[in-house]
Structure formats: structure tokens, C-alpha cells
PDB file of all heavy atoms in Angstrom:
ATOM      1  N   ARG A  78      25.096 -82.201  20.526  1.00 52.00           N
ATOM      2  CA  ARG A  78      25.093 -80.890  21.160  1.00 52.00           C
ATOM      3  C   ARG A  78      25.827 -79.871  20.310  1.00 52.00           C
ATOM      4  O   ARG A  78      25.413 -78.730  20.164  1.00 52.00           O
ATOM      5  CB  ARG A  78      25.730 -80.989  22.543  1.00 52.00           C
ATOM      6  CG  ARG A  78      25.696 -79.698  23.332  1.00 52.00           C
ATOM      7  CD  ARG A  78      26.242 -79.902  24.734  1.00 52.00           C
ATOM      8  NE  ARG A  78      25.451 -80.896  25.455  1.00 52.00           N
ATOM      9  CZ  ARG A  78      25.768 -81.351  26.670  1.00 52.00           C
ATOM     10  NH1 ARG A  78      26.869 -80.924  27.274  1.00 52.00           N
ATOM     11  NH2 ARG A  78      24.992 -82.233  27.262  1.00 52.00           N
ATOM     12  N   GLY A  79      26.961 -80.318  19.711  1.00 59.00           N
ATOM     13  CA  GLY A  79      27.713 -79.408  18.861  1.00 59.00           C
ATOM     14  C   GLY A  79      26.947 -79.028  17.616  1.00 59.00           C
ATOM     15  O   GLY A  79      26.997 -77.883  17.171  1.00 59.00           O
ATOM     16  N   ILE A  80      26.248 -79.984  17.040  1.00 62.00           N
ATOM     17  CA  ILE A  80      25.450 -79.700  15.853  1.00 62.00           C
ATOM     18  C   ILE A  80      24.385 -78.657  16.157  1.00 62.00           C
ATOM     19  O   ILE A  80      24.194 -77.699  15.415  1.00 62.00           O
ATOM     20  CB  ILE A  80      24.794 -80.998  15.334  1.00 62.00           C
ATOM     21  CG1 ILE A  80      25.858 -81.970  14.827  1.00 62.00           C
ATOM     22  CG2 ILE A  80      23.798 -80.686  14.226  1.00 62.00           C
ATOM     23  CD1 ILE A  80      25.316 -83.311  14.451  1.00 62.00           C
ATOM     24  N   PHE A  81      23.695 -78.827  17.271  1.00 61.00           N
ATOM     25  CA  PHE A  81      22.630 -77.897  17.606  1.00 61.00           C
ATOM     26  C   PHE A  81      23.173 -76.517  17.925  1.00 61.00           C
ATOM     27  O   PHE A  81      22.534 -75.510  17.643  1.00 61.00           O
ATOM     28  CB  PHE A  81      21.791 -78.435  18.773  1.00 61.00           C
ATOM     29  CG  PHE A  81      20.722 -79.376  18.349  1.00 61.00           C
ATOM     30  CD1 PHE A  81      20.941 -80.742  18.335  1.00 61.00           C
ATOM     31  CD2 PHE A  81      19.500 -78.904  17.917  1.00 61.00           C
ATOM     32  CE1 PHE A  81      19.947 -81.614  17.920  1.00 61.00           C
ATOM     33  CE2 PHE A  81      18.502 -79.776  17.492  1.00 61.00           C
ATOM     34  CZ  PHE A  81      18.731 -81.139  17.503  1.00 61.00           C
ATOM     35  N   ALA A  82      24.363 -76.440  18.501  1.00 60.00           N
ATOM     36  CA  ALA A  82      24.949 -75.136  18.797  1.00 60.00           C
ATOM     37  C   ALA A  82      25.231 -74.367  17.512  1.00 60.00           C
ATOM     38  O   ALA A  82      24.934 -73.174  17.399  1.00 60.00           O
ATOM     39  CB  ALA A  82      26.240 -75.309  19.598  1.00 60.00           C
ATOM     40  N   VAL A  83      25.802 -75.055  16.536  1.00 57.00           N
ATOM     41  CA  VAL A  83      26.074 -74.410  15.245  1.00 57.00           C
ATOM     42  C   VAL A  83      24.774 -74.019  14.564  1.00 57.00           C
ATOM     43  O   VAL A  83      24.633 -72.923  14.016  1.00 57.00           O
ATOM     44  CB  VAL A  83      26.905 -75.345  14.344  1.00 57.00           C
ATOM     45  CG1 VAL A  83      27.040 -74.756  12.945  1.00 57.00           C
ATOM     46  CG2 VAL A  83      28.277 -75.584  14.949  1.00 57.00           C
ATOM     47  N   LEU A  84      23.801 -74.925  14.597  1.00 63.00           N
ATOM     48  CA  LEU A  84      22.522 -74.656  13.954  1.00 63.00           C
ATOM     49  C   LEU A  84      21.838 -73.456  14.583  1.00 63.00           C
ATOM     50  O   LEU A  84      21.327 -72.577  13.880  1.00 63.00           O
ATOM     51  CB  LEU A  84      21.630 -75.882  14.055  1.00 63.00           C
ATOM     52  CG  LEU A  84      20.221 -75.742  13.476  1.00 63.00           C
ATOM     53  CD1 LEU A  84      20.301 -75.505  11.981  1.00 63.00           C
ATOM     54  CD2 LEU A  84      19.397 -76.974  13.774  1.00 63.00           C
ATOM     55  N   ALA A  85      21.841 -73.399  15.907  1.00 62.00           N
ATOM     56  CA  ALA A  85      21.180 -72.298  16.588  1.00 62.00           C
ATOM     57  C   ALA A  85      21.817 -70.967  16.223  1.00 62.00           C
ATOM     58  O   ALA A  85      21.132 -69.968  15.995  1.00 62.00           O
ATOM     59  CB  ALA A  85      21.237 -72.512  18.100  1.00 62.00           C
ATOM     60  N   ALA A  86      23.133 -70.953  16.139  1.00 58.00           N
ATOM     61  CA  ALA A  86      23.823 -69.700  15.806  1.00 58.00           C
ATOM     62  C   ALA A  86      23.474 -69.216  14.418  1.00 58.00           C
ATOM     63  O   ALA A  86      23.351 -68.015  14.170  1.00 58.00           O
ATOM     64  CB  ALA A  86      25.335 -69.900  15.928  1.00 58.00           C
ATOM     65  N   ALA A  87      23.294 -70.156  13.502  1.00 59.00           N
ATOM     66  CA  ALA A  87      23.053 -69.773  12.113  1.00 59.00           C
ATOM     67  C   ALA A  87      21.594 -69.555  11.787  1.00 59.00           C
ATOM     68  O   ALA A  87      21.264 -68.764  10.900  1.00 59.00           O
ATOM     69  CB  ALA A  87      23.611 -70.853  11.179  1.00 59.00           C
ATOM     70  N   VAL A  88      20.699 -70.248  12.514  1.00 61.00           N
ATOM     71  CA  VAL A  88      19.313 -70.317  12.065  1.00 61.00           C
ATOM     72  C   VAL A  88      18.332 -69.580  12.958  1.00 61.00           C
ATOM     73  O   VAL A  88      17.443 -68.875  12.475  1.00 61.00           O
ATOM     74  CB  VAL A  88      18.880 -71.793  11.934  1.00 61.00           C
ATOM     75  CG1 VAL A  88      17.412 -71.893  11.599  1.00 61.00           C
ATOM     76  CG2 VAL A  88      19.717 -72.495  10.876  1.00 61.00           C
ATOM     77  N   LEU A  89      18.444 -69.725  14.249  1.00 60.00           N
ATOM     78  CA  LEU A  89      17.357 -69.304  15.121  1.00 60.00           C
ATOM     79  C   LEU A  89      17.112 -67.811  15.104  1.00 60.00           C
ATOM     80  O   LEU A  89      16.031 -67.355  15.442  1.00 60.00           O
ATOM     81  CB  LEU A  89      17.616 -69.777  16.552  1.00 60.00           C
ATOM     82  CG  LEU A  89      17.556 -71.295  16.724  1.00 60.00           C
ATOM     83  CD1 LEU A  89      17.590 -71.645  18.182  1.00 60.00           C
ATOM     84  CD2 LEU A  89      16.317 -71.873  16.082  1.00 60.00           C
ATOM     85  N   CYS A  90      18.110 -67.039  14.717  1.00 56.00           N
ATOM     86  CA  CYS A  90      17.897 -65.595  14.600  1.00 56.00           C
ATOM     87  C   CYS A  90      17.405 -65.214  13.220  1.00 56.00           C
ATOM     88  O   CYS A  90      17.192 -64.047  12.928  1.00 56.00           O
ATOM     89  CB  CYS A  90      19.190 -64.836  14.901  1.00 56.00           C
ATOM     90  SG  CYS A  90      19.736 -65.008  16.607  1.00 56.00           S
ATOM     91  N   SER A  91      17.212 -66.214  12.373  1.00 53.00           N
ATOM     92  CA  SER A  91      16.812 -65.947  10.996  1.00 53.00           C
ATOM     93  C   SER A  91      15.353 -65.502  10.943  1.00 53.00           C
ATOM     94  O   SER A  91      14.468 -66.209  11.385  1.00 53.00           O
ATOM     95  CB  SER A  91      16.984 -67.218  10.162  1.00 53.00           C
ATOM     96  OG  SER A  91      16.546 -67.027   8.851  1.00 53.00           O
ATOM     97  N   PRO A  92      15.080 -64.319  10.386  1.00 54.00           N
ATOM     98  CA  PRO A  92      13.696 -63.875  10.315  1.00 54.00           C
ATOM     99  C   PRO A  92      12.913 -64.664   9.285  1.00 54.00           C
ATOM    100  O   PRO A  92      13.457 -65.126   8.297  1.00 54.00           O
ATOM    101  CB  PRO A  92      13.835 -62.409   9.870  1.00 54.00           C
ATOM    102  CG  PRO A  92      15.107 -62.369   9.096  1.00 54.00           C
ATOM    103  CD  PRO A  92      16.017 -63.363   9.771  1.00 54.00           C
ATOM    104  N   VAL A  93      11.645 -64.861   9.545  1.00 59.00           N
ATOM    105  CA  VAL A  93      10.778 -65.537   8.590  1.00 59.00           C
ATOM    106  C   VAL A  93      10.299 -64.530   7.565  1.00 59.00           C
ATOM    107  O   VAL A  93       9.917 -63.419   7.907  1.00 59.00           O
ATOM    108  CB  VAL A  93       9.578 -66.167   9.314  1.00 59.00           C
ATOM    109  CG1 VAL A  93       8.643 -66.820   8.322  1.00 59.00           C
ATOM    110  CG2 VAL A  93      10.055 -67.190  10.333  1.00 59.00           C
ATOM    111  N   VAL A  94      10.360 -64.916   6.288  1.00 46.00           N
ATOM    112  CA  VAL A  94       9.868 -64.026   5.248  1.00 46.00           C
ATOM    113  C   VAL A  94       8.351 -63.909   5.374  1.00 46.00           C
ATOM    114  O   VAL A  94       7.641 -64.899   5.357  1.00 46.00           O
ATOM    115  CB  VAL A  94      10.257 -64.561   3.859  1.00 46.00           C
ATOM    116  CG1 VAL A  94       9.711 -63.664   2.780  1.00 46.00           C
ATOM    117  CG2 VAL A  94      11.774 -64.654   3.753  1.00 46.00           C
ATOM    118  N   LEU A  95       7.859 -62.682   5.466  1.00 41.00           N
ATOM    119  CA  LEU A  95       6.455 -62.483   5.783  1.00 41.00           C
ATOM    120  C   LEU A  95       5.608 -62.097   4.584  1.00 41.00           C
ATOM    121  O   LEU A  95       4.486 -62.520   4.441  1.00 41.00           O
ATOM    122  CB  LEU A  95       6.326 -61.391   6.858  1.00 41.00           C
ATOM    123  CG  LEU A  95       7.135 -61.634   8.139  1.00 41.00           C
ATOM    124  CD1 LEU A  95       6.875 -60.501   9.111  1.00 41.00           C
ATOM    125  CD2 LEU A  95       6.783 -62.962   8.767  1.00 41.00           C
ATOM    126  N   THR A  96       6.114 -61.291   3.736  1.00 39.00           N
ATOM    127  CA  THR A  96       5.329 -60.795   2.617  1.00 39.00           C
ATOM    128  C   THR A  96       6.141 -60.902   1.342  1.00 39.00           C
ATOM    129  O   THR A  96       7.360 -61.018   1.373  1.00 39.00           O
ATOM    130  CB  THR A  96       4.937 -59.312   2.820  1.00 39.00           C
ATOM    131  OG1 THR A  96       6.131 -58.525   2.831  1.00 39.00           O
ATOM    132  CG2 THR A  96       4.198 -59.118   4.125  1.00 39.00           C
ATOM    133  N   SER A  97       5.432 -60.822   0.211  1.00 36.00           N
ATOM    134  CA  SER A  97       6.131 -60.934  -1.054  1.00 36.00           C
ATOM    135  C   SER A  97       7.139 -59.810  -1.230  1.00 36.00           C
ATOM    136  O   SER A  97       8.169 -59.972  -1.864  1.00 36.00           O
ATOM    137  CB  SER A  97       5.127 -60.934  -2.210  1.00 36.00           C
ATOM    138  OG  SER A  97       4.344 -59.760  -2.193  1.00 36.00           O
ATOM    139  N   SER A  98       6.871 -58.634  -0.689  1.00 32.00           N
ATOM    140  CA  SER A  98       7.807 -57.533  -0.835  1.00 32.00           C
ATOM    141  C   SER A  98       9.079 -57.766  -0.060  1.00 32.00           C
ATOM    142  O   SER A  98      10.124 -57.197  -0.367  1.00 32.00           O
ATOM    143  CB  SER A  98       7.161 -56.222  -0.357  1.00 32.00           C
ATOM    144  OG  SER A  98       6.844 -56.303   1.017  1.00 32.00           O
ATOM    145  N   ALA A  99       9.011 -58.615   0.955  1.00 36.00           N
ATOM    146  CA  ALA A  99      10.194 -58.904   1.754  1.00 36.00           C
ATOM    147  C   ALA A  99      10.846 -60.206   1.352  1.00 36.00           C
ATOM    148  O   ALA A  99      11.871 -60.587   1.879  1.00 36.00           O
ATOM    149  CB  ALA A  99       9.826 -58.975   3.237  1.00 36.00           C
ATOM    150  N   SER A 100      10.223 -60.901   0.405  1.00 38.00           N
ATOM    151  CA  SER A 100      10.758 -62.200   0.024  1.00 38.00           C
ATOM    152  C   SER A 100      11.964 -62.030  -0.873  1.00 38.00           C
ATOM    153  O   SER A 100      12.238 -60.967  -1.411  1.00 38.00           O
ATOM    154  CB  SER A 100       9.691 -63.021  -0.710  1.00 38.00           C
ATOM    155  OG  SER A 100       9.499 -62.524  -2.008  1.00 38.00           O
ATOM    156  N   ALA A 101      12.689 -63.141  -1.046  1.00 37.00           N
ATOM    157  CA  ALA A 101      13.907 -63.081  -1.834  1.00 37.00           C
ATOM    158  C   ALA A 101      13.631 -62.758  -3.286  1.00 37.00           C
ATOM    159  O   ALA A 101      14.511 -62.322  -4.005  1.00 37.00           O
ATOM    160  CB  ALA A 101      14.657 -64.406  -1.730  1.00 37.00           C
ATOM    161  N   SER A 102      12.426 -62.971  -3.749  1.00 36.00           N
ATOM    162  CA  SER A 102      12.127 -62.704  -5.145  1.00 36.00           C
ATOM    163  C   SER A 102      11.425 -61.367  -5.328  1.00 36.00           C
ATOM    164  O   SER A 102      11.036 -61.006  -6.424  1.00 36.00           O
ATOM    165  CB  SER A 102      11.265 -63.836  -5.719  1.00 36.00           C
ATOM    166  OG  SER A 102      10.106 -64.007  -4.943  1.00 36.00           O
ATOM    167  N   GLY A 103      11.281 -60.621  -4.276  1.00 37.00           N
ATOM    168  CA  GLY A 103      10.610 -59.337  -4.348  1.00 37.00           C
ATOM    169  C   GLY A 103      11.588 -58.190  -4.370  1.00 37.00           C
ATOM    170  O   GLY A 103      12.800 -58.360  -4.384  1.00 37.00           O
ATOM    171  N   PRO A 104      11.090 -56.931  -4.354  1.00 33.00           N
ATOM    172  CA  PRO A 104      11.938 -55.757  -4.442  1.00 33.00           C
ATOM    173  C   PRO A 104      12.925 -55.651  -3.301  1.00 33.00           C
ATOM    174  O   PRO A 104      13.991 -55.076  -3.441  1.00 33.00           O
ATOM    175  CB  PRO A 104      10.939 -54.592  -4.410  1.00 33.00           C
ATOM    176  CG  PRO A 104       9.628 -55.190  -4.765  1.00 33.00           C
ATOM    177  CD  PRO A 104       9.672 -56.605  -4.309  1.00 33.00           C
ATOM    178  N   GLY A 105      12.588 -56.212  -2.133  1.00 36.00           N
ATOM    179  CA  GLY A 105      13.468 -56.097  -0.986  1.00 36.00           C
ATOM    180  C   GLY A 105      14.383 -57.292  -0.837  1.00 36.00           C
ATOM    181  O   GLY A 105      14.794 -57.637   0.263  1.00 36.00           O
ATOM    182  N   ALA A 106      14.749 -57.939  -1.946  1.00 42.00           N
ATOM    183  CA  ALA A 106      15.535 -59.156  -1.885  1.00 42.00           C
ATOM    184  C   ALA A 106      16.872 -58.917  -1.211  1.00 42.00           C
ATOM    185  O   ALA A 106      17.516 -57.890  -1.418  1.00 42.00           O
ATOM    186  CB  ALA A 106      15.763 -59.697  -3.307  1.00 42.00           C
ATOM    187  N   THR A 107      17.296 -59.874  -0.387  1.00 47.00           N
ATOM    188  CA  THR A 107      18.585 -59.785   0.266  1.00 47.00           C
ATOM    189  C   THR A 107      19.678 -60.183  -0.709  1.00 47.00           C
ATOM    190  O   THR A 107      19.483 -61.015  -1.590  1.00 47.00           O
ATOM    191  CB  THR A 107      18.629 -60.709   1.481  1.00 47.00           C
ATOM    192  OG1 THR A 107      18.316 -62.030   1.069  1.00 47.00           O
ATOM    193  CG2 THR A 107      17.631 -60.257   2.537  1.00 47.00           C
TER     194      THR A 107
END
């Protein structure tokens, strides 16, 4: 339960990269 709580906090709000322009290797890299 503790593992899933930490995982949910870190991951579930993570947006999915949709296009190359929004990807980490594109102009909009985070």
C-alpha cells in the first residue's frame, strides 16, 4: 500500500508525451 501511494503521487499525474514537439527531445523539452 505504501509503495502504491508513493507511486501514485509521483506518476499518475504525469502527462503522456503526445507529439514530437512536446517530447523530451523536441523544442519543448522539459
Side-chain angles (χ1 to χ4, degrees):
R78 184 175 300 174
I80 294 173
F81 276 93
V83 173
L84 178 64
V88 175
L89 293 190
C90 294
S91 177
V93 178
V94 178
L95 305 182
T96 64
S97 58
S98 63
S100 74
S102 55
T107 56

